[in-house]
Amino acid sequence: MSHPIPAIGLGTFRLQGPVVIDSVRTGLELGYRHVDTAQIYGNEADVGLAIAQSNVARDELFVTTKIWTEHLAGDKLIPSLKDSLQKLRLEQVDLTLIHWPSPQDAVPVAEYMQALLAAKRAGLTRQIGISNFTARHMREAIDAVGASEIETNQVEVHPYLQNRTVAAFAREHGIHVTAYMPLAYGKVMADPVIAAIADRHRATPAQVALAWLLQQGYAVIPSSTKRANLEANLGAARIVLTGDDMAAIAALEANERIANPEGIAPQWD
Ligand SMILES: NC(=O)c1ccc[n+]([C@@H]2O[C@H](COP(=O)([O-])OP(=O)(O)OC[C@H]3O[C@@H](n4cnc5c(N)ncnc54)[C@H](OP(=O)(O)O)[C@@H]3O)[C@@H](O)[C@H]2O)c1
């Protein structure tokens, strides 16, 4: 049975303790069925608690976690995922991503992709994927496990960083793109072009930015600590932008990258 990634998910980066528990609990109440966490966020246990306390059936929920760079070696990946599952109180996650390619390629792509595939075969994760992979890293990942095994490449995409080279390569190989930081960490809210489009659609700038990504076929994982914003972001699925709206937002490309951690980020396309 195939389990496509729900188009709108709930991001949890930076959110800790009661804040993340409240965000996930509220999100699940409002109808989110896709939660995005990671080993490095330090919140898997709180995300797991919020899920366990909800009334949502396990098979209705899509949970993603990501393997941190220190756990990429062939003998470390599976034990680290088992640790994540314990924190999340789950027997299996729906999707496990390699969070970043190994810095300076210290661990070869084939080694961690094969370990990730072994985790899938062992039933620890229903699907596998990658994050922050360049076209070169995607090519190596495809060589290692085959494109059909790679569900998604989760990368930064918003109006100011459209990541067109990576998106085109992924599309060519049938790999879905998940857009992270889809609101450019709040910057879209102050954009006059997006605000004008939002006014015409009686929507908010955040909804327009999300609709622009959804209409390109991307999954989106905005985060929010506020009920009203969580609810509004889910409503983005109902907005239909015109071709002119889509083109006006596409023209905002500025190669403005937000997530670029020194010593970890690869040489970008
Ligand atoms: N794979 C990776 O390497 C990677 C890297 C970065 C992020 N991610 C994932 O992507 C998710 C999203 O990224 P992000 O959280 O950094 O940034 P984001 O979703 O682009 O922006 C979140 C910010 O926007 C605000 N916001 C959300 N909805 C709003 C609305 N409707 N109106 C006004 N403001 C709104 C939030 O504030 P309030 O709390 O006040 O609403 C928060 O400050 C992360 O949580 C994480 O799961 C993955």
Side-chain angles (χ1 to χ4, degrees):
M1 194 161 81
S2 121
H3 287 259
I5 303 178
I8 303 182
L10 188 61
T12 65
F13 178 38
R14 295 183 210 88
L15 311 186
Q16 299 289 323
V19 175
V20 77
I21 293 172
D22 186 57
S23 177
V24 174
R25 181 186 296 141
T26 307
L28 295 176
E29 272 172 31
L30 291 169
Y32 284 83
R33 290 295 178 265
H34 167 190
V35 181
D36 181 89
T37 182
Q39 293 175 341
I40 197 67
Y41 298 172
N43 62 15
E44 286 172 309
D46 286 326
V47 168
L49 180 66
I51 290 172
Q53 288 177 343
S54 78
N55 292 322
V56 180
R58 176 63 189 96
D59 63 358
E60 283 178 23
L61 197 59
F62 191 99
V63 181
T64 303
T65 195
K66 316 186 194 79
I67 305 289
W68 188 238
T69 56
E70 284 165 17
H71 305 143
L72 292 177
D75 59 342
K76 293 204 179 119
L77 191 147
I78 285 184
S80 84
L81 182 54
K82 286 184 175 164
D83 188 40
S84 291
L85 289 174
Q86 203 174 7
K87 289 179 178 150
L88 285 162
R89 307 180 189 209
L90 299 175
E91 285 177 12
Q92 181 186 55
V93 278
D94 297 278
L95 179 64
T96 304
L97 306 178
I98 300 295
H99 203 151
W100 292 85
S102 181
Q104 288 78 49
D105 294 303
V107 182
V109 173
E111 181 173 331
Y112 54 75
M113 289 309 297
Q114 273 150 15
L116 189 60
L117 184 57
K120 176 179 167 178
R121 292 197 170 133
L124 304 176
T125 182
R126 208 188 292 277
Q127 296 175 346
I128 60 174
I130 55 187
S131 176
N132 295 300
F133 272 41
T134 63
R136 193 264 290 174
H137 285 106
M138 277 194 274
R139 194 173 302 114
E140 290 187 26
I142 291 168
D143 286 347
V145 297
S148 63
E149 285 291 354
I150 303 170
E151 180 64 20
T152 193
N153 187 9
Q154 184 187 116
V155 289
E156 182 177 338
V157 191
H158 46 69
Y160 317 110
L161 180 80
Q162 298 181 22
N163 238 323
R164 288 178 182 145
T165 302
V166 164
F169 186 93
R171 194 175 311 115
E172 200 181 307
H173 294 275
I175 297 172
H176 193 55
V177 168
T178 303
Y180 79 61
M181 286 185 172
L183 306 174
Y185 194 46
K187 193 179 168 194
V188 299
M189 264 62 83
D191 191 295
V193 172
I194 296 175
I197 294 170
D199 276 353
R200 280 202 296 281
H201 289 273
R202 296 182 199 285
T204 67
Q207 288 176 321
V208 167
L210 296 173
W212 174 76
L213 291 161
L214 293 169
Q215 265 175 248
Q216 295 175 76
Y218 302 149
V220 296
I221 47 170
S223 77
S224 177
T225 57
K226 301 194 175 74
R227 187 180 190 97
N229 289 350
L230 288 166
E231 189 166 18
N233 294 348
L234 264 188
R238 291 192 293 272
I239 293 160
V240 181
L241 299 176
T242 66
D244 284 351
D245 297 335
M246 295 295 289
I249 300 172
L252 299 175
E253 167 63 53
N255 199 27
E256 265 181 47
R257 194 179 290 281
I258 301 170
N260 200 12
E262 210 183 317
I264 292 176
Q267 197 174 351
W268 299 110
D269 291 303

